[in-house]
Amino acid sequence: MKEKLEQIKEEALKQIEASDALEKLNEVRVNFLGKKGELTAVMKGMKDIAPEDRPKFGQLVNETRSEIERVLEASVKKMERSVREAKLKREVIDVTLPAKKNHVGHRHPNTIALEEVERIFIGMGYEVVEGPEVEKDYYNFEALNIPADHPAKDEQDTFYIEGDILLRTQTSSTQVHEMEKGKLPIRMIAPGRVFRSDEVDATHSPSFHQIEGLVIDRNITFADLKGTLAEFAKELFGEDTKVKFRPHHFPFTEPSAEMDVTCFKCGGTGCRFCKGEGWIEILGCGMVHPHVLEMSGIDPEQYTGFAFGVGLERIALLKYEIDDMRLLYENDIRFLKQF
Ligand code: DAH
């Protein structure tokens, strides 16, 4: 029996030695140590052995088993290591190779400017709302005090879809939607795209963006308008910025004004940037016309409000000193990356 066990061990070790793959080692394990393996077969012969010799025999079998297991395990470990090493060698990375560039986009100057404006007004307690780009004539003109025969309608000639459906020429239409909701007070800005049948040049585009502002509450006065917009200008263009209101006309506000800011390049002394003026026009504004309030179901005896409209591109062009609006629409990444 002892010789038999010795033979088994030698054969097993020989086969382990000759194995050149993990699968082969596994075969050896099955053949010698498995349920139907050689050692198990030997154990089954136990019954033919004299009872007093059985413990000794059992011990011998166990020793043989442990020895085979030990050598087998060591071989498996060695084999695994060399497999891993071979794999690492195959997958070697040349860290000195130039990396592939990952081209990500860039925020558009309009977006950067809009987020800045939103930040300022949200800080003053305003809500940011949106209105539809395809609009009824009523919201774009009529409800803003611009009846069918009003000359202001010609100034803002637009694209008609059909009948009284058109692409909005101004975000002021959003004011009407907000007022009609009947929830007061209102403190909102409404950024969005507007459309006009203009030729493309350095300062015009048939599609551009505006940000509308509207505040309606009891006892709102022109002083609130001035204070709010002066604060806005300071936040946007710098603490030293001064504002100036020039009387103007908009059909939906009374009184109306245009607001200028001191040139943030020269501080107001006059330079090439402000064309020697020292001032730069920035937005239109005014106290909401009582008739406009009334048409949207707000009692002008109880409530007053102010409104303003500012061109988003105009802010982006000024703030980033871009001299041609068309650059904003080309989306050339070399241009966009500069902001
Ligand atoms: N909607 C005007 C425009 O497109 C801008 C504007 C002026 C809006 C005065 C206003 C405002 O709300 O009060 O020229």
Side-chain angles (χ1 to χ4, degrees):
M1 264 315 167
K2 206 174 164 191
E3 294 85 71
K4 174 79 179 154
L5 282 172
E6 200 58 41
Q7 231 177 20
I8 291 176
K9 188 168 94 183
E10 253 163 46
E11 183 55 29
L13 298 186
K14 212 166 92 194
Q15 287 192 22
I16 292 171
E17 176 81 34
S19 294
D20 56 3
L22 282 167
E23 299 79 58
K24 293 246 169 77
L25 289 174
N26 201 36
E27 265 170 38
V28 176
R29 182 193 304 280
V30 172
N31 290 341
F32 288 89
L33 308 174
K35 264 195 199 140
K36 291 182 180 147
E38 305 232 4
L39 272 183
T40 316
V42 172
M43 276 300 262
K44 281 184 184 147
M46 181 88 101
K47 59 184 187 309
D48 303 328
I49 290 173
E52 63 273 23
D53 290 338
R54 282 181 195 168
K56 182 109 202 292
F57 174 71
Q59 197 194 341
L60 262 179
V61 174
N62 281 342
E63 275 170 18
T64 310
R65 173 182 289 277
S66 324
E67 176 65 7
I68 295 174
E69 265 171 2
R70 193 182 59 75
V71 178
L72 194 63
E73 271 325 300
S75 291
V76 167
K77 282 234 172 71
K78 207 167 127 197
M79 190 86 69
E80 280 176 348
R81 201 178 315 123
S82 67
V83 166
R84 194 167 54 236
E85 270 163 17
K87 189 163 178 244
L88 284 176
K89 232 178 226 150
R90 249 183 292 123
E91 293 177 355
V92 73
I93 296 169
D94 183 353
V95 292
T96 64
L97 274 179
K100 277 201 192 114
K101 273 219 176 103
N102 194 4
H103 289 287
V104 290
H106 191 280
R107 283 197 310 163
H108 194 279
N110 272 356
T111 309
I112 303 173
L114 175 59
E115 284 175 2
E116 177 70 2
V117 173
E118 286 182 345
R119 187 189 64 74
I120 295 169
F121 280 102
I122 287 170
M124 292 198 263
Y126 285 56
E127 196 186 344
V128 180
V129 304
E130 265 179 59
E133 290 172 4
V134 180
E135 223 7 311
K136 285 204 168 121
D137 182 290
Y138 176 78
Y139 289 94
N140 196 78
F141 294 120
E142 196 88 21
L144 290 166
N145 241 358
I146 310 172
D149 54 358
H150 198 287
K153 213 167 165 174
D154 298 335
E155 274 167 34
Q156 296 189 4
D157 196 13
T158 189
F159 304 100
Y160 284 84
I161 307 284
E162 62 176 12
D164 66 340
I165 311 286
L166 47 81
L167 296 181
R168 67 176 175 193
T169 61
Q170 49 186 351
T171 45
S172 302
S173 51
T174 319
Q175 291 185 19
V176 182
H177 288 288
E178 283 306 299
M179 289 190 287
E180 279 186 351
K181 285 182 187 163
K183 259 175 53 193
L184 295 172
I186 295 171
R187 203 170 278 116
M188 65 116 199
I189 57 166
R193 191 183 281 272
V194 298
F195 307 84
R196 292 183 196 180
S197 51
D198 280 336
E199 295 285 335
V200 176
D201 64 27
T203 54
H204 291 88
S205 161
S207 163
F208 59 103
H209 300 80
Q210 288 185 330
I211 305 161
E212 193 72 17
L214 177 69
V215 171
I216 295 180
D217 203 346
R218 294 179 197 274
N219 306 316
I220 297 288
T221 70
F222 203 89
D224 297 306
L225 177 156
K226 282 182 81 174
T228 304
L229 295 179
E231 186 56 31
F232 165 62
K234 277 188 183 165
E235 289 240 14
L236 192 62
F237 295 115
E239 196 50 38
D240 297 331
T241 309
K242 290 191 181 59
V243 295
K244 175 170 86 173
F245 292 84
R246 278 180 290 101
H248 198 78
H249 172 261
F250 295 104
F252 36 88
T253 43
E254 179 61 33
S256 306
E258 279 187 331
M259 186 178 91
D260 298 345
V261 295
T262 40
C263 175
F264 43 84
K265 266 266 156 178
C266 63
T269 52
C271 66
R272 257 184 40 184
F273 197 70
C274 57
K275 301 194 181 76
E277 299 279 330
W279 295 93
I280 298 171
E281 182 203 321
I282 198 82
L283 55 78
C285 58
M287 299 305 290
V288 183
H289 197 293
H291 189 226
V292 169
L293 291 174
E294 225 162 38
M295 279 189 279
S296 290
I298 296 173
D299 182 357
E301 298 296 328
Q302 303 273 340
Y303 287 93
T304 49
F306 67 83
F308 55 92
V310 47
L312 178 60
E313 279 81 355
R314 182 150 178 80
I315 291 183
L317 296 180
L318 286 172
K319 219 171 147 57
Y320 304 116
E321 298 178 29
I322 303 164
D323 56 9
D324 192 328
M325 191 173 182
R326 284 167 289 199
L327 288 164
L328 291 176
Y329 301 121
E330 286 165 357
N331 283 338
D332 185 331
I333 195 80
R334 291 167 302 180
F335 168 75
L336 296 178
K337 265 203 200 138
Q338 300 171 48
F339 307 99

